[in-house]
Amino acid sequence: MNWTVNDLHIILVGVLCAMACALPGVFLLLRRMSMMGDAISHAVLPGLAVAFLVSGSRASWWMFFGAALAGVLTALFTQWITKFGKVERGAAMGIVFTTLFAVGLLLIEQGAGNVDLDAGCVLYGALEYTPLNLVTLFETEEFLIQIPHAALVIGSALLLNILIIGIFYKELTLASFDPGLAETQGFRPKVIHYLLMTMVAVTTVAAFEAVGSIIVIAMLIVPPATAFLITRRLPLLIGLSLALAAASAILGHLSSQALPALLGLPETMSSGMMATTSGFLFLLVWLFGPQGLLKKQSRELVAPPTP
Amino acid sequence: MRPEHPPEFPLAIHDLTVAYHRKPVLWDIELNVPQGTLAGIVGPNGAGKSTLLKACLDLIPKTSGEVLIYGKPYEDQRDLIAYVPQRESVDWDFPVSALDVVVMGTYRKLGWFKRVGKAQRQRAREALEQVGIGHLADRQISQLSGGQQQRVFLARALVQDAEIYFMDEPFAAVDAATEQAIIELLQNFNAKGKTVLCVHHDLATVSRYFDHLVLLNMRIVASGPTSETFTRENLHKTYGGKLNLLDDVAEALKNVGR
């Protein structure tokens, strides 16, 4: 393969995006609501479309606001339908996000059909084109450091997620483990719940344009799920999720360039391959990890219980 | 006329009604729990025992009524209350250690944003020692037996250092050693003048564990000192025609000499 600075840029965007998604993904997994990430990442579409129609521009604060609102509404509607419609939560989620996603598609086709906000881009993104839109970080006579604009956007989302989890680590953990105790101690688990949903929505939007929803959904769910096969220590779980997410992005891009060539095919989509790689890593850990299927004696993740 | 609910009562409930999906679960609850009692709540399945605790703690919405903690709304008195939920209410596969769970009991005093420090961990270790599982502090919670998990919850209630303890079936499915640990803890609370309200399912042990009793079946059937309320007539009213159960009760009543 021909290694260029473009590959570096694509990997940078991929890694930042994967890590930004994996962070809230850990807490979705712990709350047993990983699919909420799937739902929200689809349902932000009408928010994006409406914000675009109102403001007339992409990549604006309107888009973030619209999408974040749509994300929170997804969580809210799901809650309502589960409660008042007496529908099982998975089904309620399905009702909400497919409807919102479809509305979003219609809005885009009708209102923004001739602009560069199209449905295809939403699904698989345009990772290959991110190196075309560069911003200069640092410039002297000898040095010029440029990164893709998308890296800046997603990097900000990653930073925001690190900050929020850093600040609310204790509250997020408490509300995820025992919402009843959180409530009686006055920590408002509902507020924390919607904080998490907003994080997911904002991350999704930040990642959307460049990498598309496939990789967002994969990175929200798969790296934390893989890490959960390896450890039961929360700080380690978060660290491992980040590492696995980054590894999926790097290995994914490399294999998207190298693997098809082995079969005599042209290079394939990076984002698709990054998502595939995360699934492959899960499979590897599932087979060969500490509790792997192929281990003769499956080891406990922590010290064995004493009688 | 409005019943009396003087502010010296740790818990006073006035005209409480709770409904799920428009079906009432609790009706017209009037209740005063006196200071320093070990109060048991008993009643058949579906009588609304857990619901009563949760409604007091604003964990589920009240359809009507009022709950007062020392004469003030619960919202102003959170510091005085510790809640021990049913063991099954949380995910024991969650990636935290026994110590982490107990430390959660200190969060109220710690407040938002502040980090857990040495003092909190030390306090949590002492509480785990006190319930007899200090050596398991760093064990991941899925590696604990049911009884040990229940003791983790009790240690967490201990570090909350409350005045009123709401406990939901702490004795459910625990081993004898844990049962003994719970009893000692309850007596410890009692000696310090704290008030305990405890949902209980085993009629045979009621008179041994509790000095105050609330018999509940959607409504309050009877409430008062165990010696006065734990009678065949009251139990009949509470449990209706479940006769095989009442035979056990007869046995239990014999034990208290009534």
Side-chain angles (χ1 to χ4, degrees), chain A residues 108-128:
Chain A
I108 286 179
E109 287 303 317
Q110 284 295 314
N114 45 2
V115 223
D116 55 346
L117 184 72
D118 70 273
C121 161
V122 166
L123 278 180
Y124 5 95
L127 195 49
E128 281 73 12

Side-chain angles (χ1 to χ4, degrees), chain B residues 82-97:
Chain B
Y83 172 47
V84 181
Q86 282 184 25
R87 186 151 46 87
E88 305 86 65
S89 70
V90 303
D91 172 13
W92 290 96
D93 207 18
F94 202 87
V96 286
S97 67

Side-chain angles (χ1 to χ4, degrees), chain A residues 232 300-303 305, chain B residues 91-98 139-146 148-149:
Chain A
R232 285 290 185 283
E300 294 290 345
L301 295 181
V302 280
Chain B
D91 172 13
W92 290 96
D93 207 18
F94 202 87
V96 286
S97 67
R139 182 77 49 92
Q140 202 273 325
I141 52 174
S142 66
Q143 306 290 312
L144 302 171
S145 72
Q148 290 163 344
Q149 290 173 345

Side-chain angles (χ1 to χ4, degrees), chain B residues 213 215 222 226-238 246 249 253 258:
Chain B
L213 202 58
L215 291 144
T226 308
S227 52
E228 292 165 24
T229 46
F230 196 55
T231 63
R232 173 167 275 276
E233 193 197 350
N234 278 340
L235 287 168
H236 216 286
K237 274 197 241 161
T238 314
L246 284 174
V249 174
L253 287 173
R258 307 188 111 265

